[in-house]
Amino acid sequence: MSDAVAHIGLGSNLGDRAATLARALDALQATPGIARLAASRLYETEPVGPPQGRYLNAAARLETRLEPHALLARLLEIERAAGRVRGAERNGPRTLDLDLLLYGGLCLEGPDLVLPHPRLHQRAFVLEPLCELDPEVLHPVLGETIAVLAARLRDPVAVRPYDR
């Protein structure tokens, strides 16, 4: 298989959020078959769902030889290593959340993986860091660029660059 470009969303709102995201990026970089090409800066964002602390979010662009399901399995493994327990409250607090957002222009709909991520275009906290990395990437279903999608939802109060 030739290399594919994949985009990952990262989030954390428990513990040392910035350190958790940095460790997740390091773990991705250390994975055979993955080369991290770029990561956005960190954004502090208001939570979606029940009352909880603010998130730090980022996006990463990877070049990978891993098939989409293998990449997803690696993301879940990194989450578990960071103390993430899935199956808990939906949209609840978490040490680490890694989402496979885009895998090239692939469209896939399965029981455990949907590409592009089904709520990508509805989430400013995902679109803003993704727009920083690759504003001209096309959403393979909607046919609009990430920049256009991000501009629709832009809210500098709810999604703002994080200054330590």
Side-chain angles (χ1 to χ4, degrees):
M1 175 186 170
S2 62
D3 287 357
V5 174
H7 291 85
I8 309 298
L10 302 93
S12 174
N13 78 334
L14 294 175
D16 186 338
R17 304 168 301 165
T20 297
L21 296 181
R23 282 192 301 273
L25 289 168
D26 289 344
L28 283 167
Q29 181 72 47
T31 300
I34 293 178
R36 178 170 54 113
L37 302 179
S40 72
R41 63 186 148 174
L42 299 178
Y43 289 81
E44 191 165 50
T45 65
E46 299 301 323
V48 173
Q52 57 190 295
R54 291 183 178 128
Y55 277 82
L56 284 187
N57 290 100
R61 179 179 59 232
L62 311 174
E63 188 173 295
T64 183
R65 288 189 173 94
L66 298 178
E67 297 286 343
H69 284 90
L71 179 55
L72 177 63
R74 178 61 179 142
L75 297 178
L76 295 175
E77 185 178 278
I78 293 168
E79 284 183 350
R80 281 191 299 276
R84 169 81 186 266
V85 178
R86 283 196 173 261
E89 181 179 16
R90 181 169 169 78
N91 293 324
R94 57 201 68 174
T95 54
L96 181 62
D97 187 30
L98 299 175
D99 289 324
L100 180 50
L101 304 172
L102 297 164
Y103 188 95
L106 183 65
C107 295
L108 179 69
E109 195 158 337
D112 57 346
L113 180 59
V114 177
L115 289 170
H117 190 285
R119 290 172 299 285
L120 168 63
H121 63 288
Q122 300 168 340
R123 294 179 165 175
F125 65 87
V126 173
L127 288 168
E128 206 60 45
L130 192 55
C131 184
E132 178 187 324
L133 284 178
D134 281 323
E136 298 308 312
V137 165
L138 282 179
H139 187 291
V141 173
L142 302 177
E144 295 181 298
T145 66
I146 296 303
V148 167
L149 296 172
R152 262 193 212 120
L153 300 180
R154 188 156 288 134
D155 180 348
V157 173
V159 180
R160 58 203 167 276
Y162 177 66
D163 298 315
R164 297 173 200 245

